[in-house]
Amino acid sequence: MRLKISQLFPSLLLLAVSSLGPSIATASDAGHNNDLLEQLNLEQYHGKVVYVDFWASWCGPCRQSFPVMNELQESYGDDNFVIIAINEDSEPGAAEQFLEQYPANFTIFYDQNGELAKYFKVDAMPTSYLLDQTGAAKYRHRGFRQKDVSKINNQIQSLLATTAQQLTSLSNSGDTE
Amino acid sequence: MKKNLLLKSALATATMTLIAGAANAEEEQNKTAPASKEQAIGDWKFDAAFLFYSESDSRVSAIEPVFNANKRLDEDEYLNLKLTVDSLTGASPSGAVGSDQPLTFTRPSGNASYTVNANEHPLDDTFKDTRVALATNWTFPVSETTKAGLGANISKEYDYLSASVNGNISYDFNNRNSTLFAGLSYAFDSIDPVGGAPIAFGRMQPVGDPQNKLSGSQDKDTLDLLLGITQVIDRESLFQFNYSYSMSDGYHNDPYKVLSVLDDQGNYFDDGIPVANVLFESRPDERTKHGLFGRYKRFIDGDILDASYRYMTDDWEIDSHTVDLKYRFTLDNGDYWQPHVRYYTQTQADFYQPYLRQDQALPQFASADYRLAEYDAITVGLEYGMKTAAGNQWRFSLEMYNQTPTEPEKYGALQQQTLLPDWNAVMFRVNYSF
Amino acid sequence: MKHKSLLLLPILGFSVLSGCSTMGVNAWEKDLLAKPEMALDEQPLTDALDDHIYFSKEASSGGRAYAGGGCGCN
């Protein structure tokens, strides 16, 4: 019997995220923030590599990260890659002002009250997570530095590559419907 | 005195016109505050400031331009260079007391003299000097949570050289809500006074006579340590708490300051020498200071409160309290008005003496320098800040400083003199960041 | 006598440090603290000019430092 991954998804995500480093949230947190998380609906990106970025207009390094994210979108956008930039501004209009100066060719999601940031245990600004094609968080970057860009590129490429093998191995693992 | 008042009102008018003009220009621009300029890697950021300082009663005046250049070398690495020039003119109290007779003093060079009129507070106007200082600082990351800094400063004026090096480290923890800071600095000061350093308690000699002064420069070493913690309280506020320690060793005298030798009537003791009977001061050759500093900054609905308190104590028995308050009223377009109040009070040094008496034994150390006396001081000021459309920041500030010393005990003829007069100063400052 | 009270410092220091762990905000709530006006070193030139005046005219100096605060980014 194969469990529907979408049912396990929030807990799997939580587990994957907490395994990346020190964390303070408990399993009970998973229940409260489901509405925004459902709106975000990361399951729709199943089969794609997802770059989730937490940013805010007041975050200096975010100004450098946006042009880089546009480049990533251009390099890998056609290749099962998607960027979701989650904005943490609590002041209305601040995000818009930022986007006028630093336009984004990727999805912006608004988390005005920080629910998603809390759920994802964001402990630095900006924070980015790279999710593999099954939706598991594989890499986390705290802060944004130019010198990390090549590493990010390598990580995205490896996540895009491994999936073909994963899918093949899953179908060969002997699961029956 | 009248000249000073005229100057002050002229300054005030100039400032108001400047500010009014800038404010009018502002109304034509759009109402939202211009964004802050980003300093990309490799970019330079500049700050220029100009200070004009002028004391009452023909005392000291100074102009001090400063230019600061900051280059972003890498992600979290910066190089900072700052050039300061300060040019002083005017007269400063020599430490001598007034008399109902005119007084003649020999200038520090020993080649000329000056006269102080009867019942005037003696000021020495030999003070024209220009100082140039260069400060460099390099800040760099050590780890994700640790930053460090190294710096060197050099300052030179005609008779004074100061060179120092400093290092510091800061560590973030508690999810970057807390920062620990430690800083250490070492300074070497060397003074080669005009005319030579006086012998401690040496008697001032007339022009032409041997001056009783030492040749060569006098040095002082200073070690400063600062430990601090900065803590975010909540979304709107943070506080800082520092402990500072300072130890200096060497020549602490002001080679140009004297103490009057008086008789039992409160008049200058006549020892036959045709120049006022004053002895050059003598201070201890060591000083240890401890300081506690606390600061609180809070964002209040668009405005900002900045309050700090400092307590300082040392082994010269000087204790001081400083309370500083700034409140920034931010306007819709990002401009601001910021009133500022500072209150300072200090106790006198244990070797502070407004004068010496011929019939009393000479103490081990003594100085009549008004800066070591007991006094209160208040600063009241107003600053106006505005950003140009390009995001460059102008600041204009006008402040008044008023020092009210505690008049020491007087006897005999001295009661007709003011030993520690109140005095005040006007400070006008302009800053431009671009 | 007053120097003995300085022994309180390490005690004060430790209690401040342990109390500090209960204060603070989440990384994404630093919007106001990130404002340049909220930085402790917002006006280094002005602070230096003031320090210089007061150092020349008063018997106390120093005590200030600038680390911490801000957006805490990177």
Side-chain angles (χ1 to χ4, degrees):
Chain A
M1 187 192 76
R2 193 202 282 179
L3 284 166
K4 275 188 87 183
I5 300 215
S6 54
Q7 284 172 338
L8 283 173
F9 193 75
S11 335
L12 269 176
L13 192 57
L14 185 62
L15 215 68
V17 162
S18 15
S19 67
L20 281 175
S23 54
I24 4 132
T26 57
S28 60
D29 285 357
H32 296 284
N33 306 305
N34 270 344
D35 33 338
L36 250 186
L37 201 59
E38 276 167 16
Q39 271 181 19
L40 184 61
N41 192 18
L42 286 170
E43 287 98 323
Q44 66 183 295
Y45 304 113
H46 230 34
K48 295 196 180 204
V49 172
V50 188
Y51 185 98
V52 181
D53 182 79
F54 287 87
W55 67 280
S57 65
W58 46 264
C59 151
C62 299
R63 299 186 191 131
Q64 277 90 62
S65 70
F66 267 53
V68 169
M69 288 197 282
N70 280 331
E71 280 169 23
L72 292 175
Q73 180 66 41
E74 212 184 289
S75 306
Y76 308 108
D78 302 327
D79 274 347
N80 296 332
F81 174 75
V82 65
I83 299 177
I84 306 168
I86 303 180
N87 172 258
E88 295 300 324
D89 275 291
S90 50
E91 230 179 294
E96 276 73 40
Q97 215 177 354
F98 180 94
L99 292 167
E100 272 171 45
Q101 252 193 305
Y102 303 95
N105 301 330
F106 41 85
T107 314
I108 308 283
F109 196 84
Y110 293 91
D111 180 29
Q112 198 177 27
N113 298 319
E115 291 173 35
L116 289 175
K118 204 181 293 184
Y119 183 80
F120 281 82
K121 296 194 226 321
V122 168
D123 59 3
M125 285 297 284
T127 288
S128 55
Y129 291 102
L130 270 171
L131 314 182
D132 70 12
Q133 300 191 21
T134 68
K138 285 291 180 200
Y139 302 105
R140 165 162 61 181
H141 289 269
R142 282 191 181 93
F144 178 80
R145 291 175 175 84
Q146 284 296 133
K147 60 169 84 88
D148 293 338
V149 174
S150 60
K151 198 191 288 187
I152 293 172
N153 268 283
N154 292 339
Q155 289 169 349
I156 295 172
Q157 285 165 15
S158 76
L159 287 178
L160 284 168
T162 35
T163 310
Q165 299 165 8
Q166 277 185 340
L167 286 172
T168 336
S169 68
L170 268 172
S171 66
N172 286 342
S173 67
D175 277 354
T176 53
E177 231 357 318
Chain B
M1 172 75 186
K2 215 176 174 179
K3 207 173 162 190
N4 256 325
L5 274 173
L6 266 170
L7 186 62
K8 279 186 213 176
S9 56
L11 261 179
T13 322
T15 314
M16 289 303 124
T17 322
L18 200 61
I19 292 172
N24 281 335
E26 264 306 312
E27 278 157 35
E28 269 121 62
Q29 294 168 19
N30 58 24
K31 286 291 176 177
T32 53
S36 292
K37 296 205 313 194
E38 182 64 22
Q39 189 184 11
I41 294 175
D43 277 0
W44 284 95
K45 196 157 75 101
F46 301 104
D47 281 89
F50 182 85
L51 170 74
F52 172 74
Y53 171 88
S54 180
E55 287 173 13
S56 52
D57 304 311
S58 315
R59 289 163 61 147
V60 169
S61 282
I63 59 162
E64 191 164 337
V66 189
F67 188 78
N68 194 83
N70 182 285
K71 183 171 184 171
R72 186 172 189 184
L73 302 173
D74 201 348
E75 209 72 53
D76 303 301
E77 196 181 337
Y78 296 85
L79 178 69
N80 200 78
L81 302 164
K82 185 167 83 167
L83 180 70
T84 309
V85 177
D86 102 67
S87 190
L88 230 68
T89 56
S92 202
S94 61
V97 303
S99 165
D100 58 4
Q101 303 296 312
L103 299 163
T104 306
F105 298 96
T106 308
R107 289 192 189 281
S109 63
N111 299 328
S113 64
Y114 64 97
T115 311
V116 172
N117 298 331
N119 300 313
E120 245 182 41
H121 185 61
L123 303 174
D124 180 354
D125 67 353
T126 326
F127 246 103
K128 291 160 187 52
D129 206 355
T130 302
R131 182 185 70 109
V132 179
L134 180 65
T136 61
N137 238 290
W138 173 48
T139 49
F140 55 96
V142 170
S143 77
E144 217 187 282
T145 50
T146 314
K147 276 200 279 273
L150 287 172
N153 299 10
I154 187 155
S155 169
K156 180 87 184 78
E157 55 200 279
Y158 181 72
D159 58 356
Y160 206 97
L161 170 76
S162 175
S164 69
V165 290
N166 63 76
N168 60 71
I169 190 155
S170 66
Y171 170 67
D172 290 338
F173 60 107
N174 274 346
N175 210 6
R176 289 184 198 275
N177 282 304
S178 313
T179 305
L180 279 175
F181 177 86
L184 196 67
S185 103
Y186 166 72
F188 172 75
D189 288 11
S190 181
I191 180 166
D192 194 356
V194 174
I199 293 168
F201 294 133
R203 201 247 191 258
M204 183 179 272
Q205 299 299 317
V207 174
D209 285 9
Q211 293 294 302
N212 282 349
K213 295 200 181 159
L214 308 166
S215 63
S217 58
Q218 308 299 319
D219 305 335
K220 181 174 76 172
D221 295 306
T222 311
L223 190 71
D224 277 288
L225 167 72
L226 197 145
L227 297 170
I229 180 155
T230 306
Q231 174 68 42
V232 169
I233 302 171
D234 54 25
R235 190 169 153 250
E236 296 92 11
S237 61
L238 73 165
F239 79 85
Q240 181 181 58
F241 180 71
N242 296 338
Y243 163 71
S244 60
Y245 170 81
S246 175
M247 226 274 283
S248 54
D249 200 295
Y251 190 78
H252 287 82
N253 296 355
D254 184 323
Y256 310 123
K257 297 259 189 278
V258 299
L259 292 112
S260 303
V261 180
L262 307 174
D263 61 22
D264 58 1
Q265 302 301 309
N267 293 312
Y268 274 79
F269 181 82
D270 187 356
D271 61 353
I273 296 175
V275 84
N277 193 348
V278 293
L279 306 184
F280 288 100
E281 66 165 42
S282 177
R283 301 188 194 190
D285 59 7
E286 199 263 345
R287 184 181 186 188
T288 304
K289 300 194 289 185
H290 300 269
L292 294 175
F293 174 84
R295 183 175 177 189
Y296 176 72
K297 213 162 171 176
R298 185 180 189 90
F299 187 89
I300 305 173
D301 240 336
D303 296 337
I304 296 177
L305 168 70
D306 192 343
S308 69
Y309 167 74
R310 178 188 62 183
Y311 170 69
M312 220 149 224
T313 183
D314 66 13
D315 61 358
W316 285 5
E317 302 294 307
I318 301 175
D319 289 340
S320 74
H321 303 271
T322 313
V323 179
D324 196 295
L325 230 64
K326 291 184 173 100
Y327 194 88
R328 182 176 300 194
F329 294 96
T330 311
L331 308 173
D332 286 339
N333 58 7
D335 295 356
Y336 68 84
W337 286 100
Q338 180 174 280
H340 171 220
V341 174
R342 176 184 183 271
Y343 171 71
Y344 176 82
T345 183
Q346 74 173 41
T347 61
Q348 66 184 49
D350 62 357
F351 57 87
Y352 170 78
Q353 281 197 230
Y355 50 82
L356 294 167
R357 281 181 63 148
Q358 176 63 26
D359 55 10
Q360 286 174 2
L362 208 56
Q364 188 189 16
F365 301 112
S367 169
D369 189 342
Y370 73 95
R371 294 170 300 187
L372 298 176
E374 180 183 284
Y375 61 80
D376 290 350
I378 296 223
T379 308
V380 177
L382 186 60
E383 179 174 298
Y384 176 72
M386 54 163 279
K387 255 204 189 129
T388 64
N392 300 324
Q393 177 84 49
W394 281 100
R395 301 182 210 266
F396 304 92
S397 155
L398 189 63
E399 302 202 317
M400 272 273 297
Y401 177 77
N402 190 56
Q403 201 178 86
T404 47
T406 307
E407 184 71 354
E409 267 181 37
K410 298 180 287 202
Y411 67 100
L414 257 192
Q415 292 168 319
Q416 312 310 314
Q417 305 299 326
T418 309
L419 303 186
L420 291 174
D422 294 352
W423 62 275
N424 54 62
V426 150
M427 303 175 292
F428 174 66
R429 171 177 40 87
V430 182
N431 298 63
Y432 183 55
S433 304
F434 59 103
Chain C
M1 158 65 211
K2 60 181 176 243
H3 294 290
K4 273 198 210 149
S5 60
L6 286 169
L7 290 172
L8 277 173
L9 263 172
I11 302 165
L12 188 66
F14 281 124
S15 37
V16 165
L17 278 177
S18 51
C20 282
S21 58
T22 61
M23 282 189 275
V25 293
N26 292 304
W28 62 91
E29 294 171 317
K30 297 255 178 103
D31 57 335
L32 297 176
L33 296 168
K35 285 176 185 288
E37 313 82 87
M38 282 299 287
L40 292 172
D41 63 350
E42 192 217 349
Q43 292 207 46
L45 260 59
T46 298
D47 289 345
L49 286 169
D50 280 350
D51 283 351
H52 180 232
I53 296 170
Y54 297 124
F55 170 78
S56 309
K57 297 295 158 184
E58 295 172 349
S60 307
S61 60
R64 199 188 343 226
Y66 290 138
C71 88
C73 298
N74 269 19

